[in-house]
Amino acid sequence: MTPYKKKALMLLVPLYEHPADRPEDWELLIRSAGRLHSVVLNPASGPGEAPDERFAAVAERLRDAGVPVLGYTDTDYGRRPHAAVVADLLRHRDWYGADGAFLDQASADPALLSHYGRLAVAARAAGARTLVLNHGVHPHPGYAGLADLLVTFEGPWDAYRDASVPPWTAEHPAQRFCHLVYAVPPGAPAAELARQRGAAVHCAVPGTGAHPWGTLPYALEATG
């Protein structure tokens, strides 16, 4: 595998906090637009039941700053019906102007490639210029042809330190892979490990427990 050589990795930030509760964090994200690959918008484990004007406002500012806004949509490892996933994609587009999609809990199973292929087509039709599949593990290599970015690791730092990378990833550029790491201690070399493992996009946060993505990545907090 060829390690990613650029000095700074791009950041995909899943900030699962309401802008009214954490306005300073959202402001920092917007100011850091040049370092961001994208930001995941997640009002209520999806778009919610009605538009939220505060999320709409930060989404507009991020897009104006040139940052892709990814609407969070749960796929429940292929168990969630196609129509329900598409309904969420359309709500993200119509309510928040999302120009990308973050399909969470994506299956890694080759048996579900056709299902996710249909979801990818639907996401593009709904206006997603950036499509991210969050498998959280390395999926079957066929998934690499469906999305712009695959999240091939999501988990705590203790697991990330010993994570392995399958050989097939070397056939694709580092810009196609993302690692999301939480419970990262201060000073841990998460970015360096991402480079070594061929991922050009990452996010390393100190958050722990059931809600680790309520914290900003170290890379932004250090410069905020």
Side-chain angles (χ1 to χ4, degrees):
M1 177 187 305
T2 301
Y4 187 57
K5 296 297 186 182
K6 287 187 177 180
K7 292 183 179 180
L9 304 185
M10 296 298 286
L11 298 168
L12 184 156
V13 181
L15 180 59
Y16 299 163
E17 289 288 341
H18 197 281
D21 298 330
R22 301 282 289 278
E24 68 286 352
D25 286 355
W26 286 96
E27 289 295 330
L28 179 55
L29 273 184
I30 294 163
R31 293 198 307 271
S32 305
R35 304 185 62 185
L36 303 180
H37 172 278
S38 51
V39 171
V40 182
L41 202 74
N42 187 12
S45 295
E49 295 301 319
D52 185 315
E53 62 181 15
R54 298 297 292 270
F55 275 106
V58 295
E60 181 178 13
R61 292 180 64 196
L62 284 165
R63 290 196 313 274
D64 288 346
V67 179
V69 175
L70 311 178
Y72 175 97
T73 302
D74 184 13
T75 71
D76 193 23
Y77 301 106
R79 292 185 290 263
R80 194 163 181 234
H82 177 94
V85 174
V86 173
D88 277 2
L89 292 170
L90 295 175
R91 286 179 172 181
H92 277 298
R93 181 196 67 187
D94 296 342
W95 294 351
Y96 306 114
D99 51 5
F102 184 87
L103 300 186
D104 195 27
Q105 298 198 114
S107 174
D109 190 339
L112 290 176
L113 274 167
S114 61
H115 172 73
Y116 280 92
R118 291 190 296 272
L119 290 180
V121 170
R124 301 297 190 189
R129 293 194 293 270
T130 302
L131 176 59
V132 180
L133 293 178
N134 181 17
H135 305 279
V137 298
H138 284 91
H140 183 275
Y143 284 95
L146 302 182
D148 301 295
L149 186 71
L150 303 182
V151 178
T152 55
F153 181 90
E154 181 180 3
W157 169 251
D158 285 348
Y160 189 56
R161 288 183 303 178
D162 300 320
S164 60
V165 180
W168 70 263
T169 61
E171 301 171 6
H172 300 275
Q175 289 84 354
R176 301 293 302 281
F177 300 105
C178 174
H179 298 163
L180 301 178
V181 192
Y182 57 83
V184 180
E192 184 57 34
L193 281 183
R195 288 190 188 92
Q196 292 174 7
R197 294 169 182 172
V201 184
H202 84 133
C203 189
V205 302
T208 60
H211 181 50
W213 302 114
T215 53
L216 285 175
Y218 281 112
L220 294 187
E221 291 183 334
T223 59

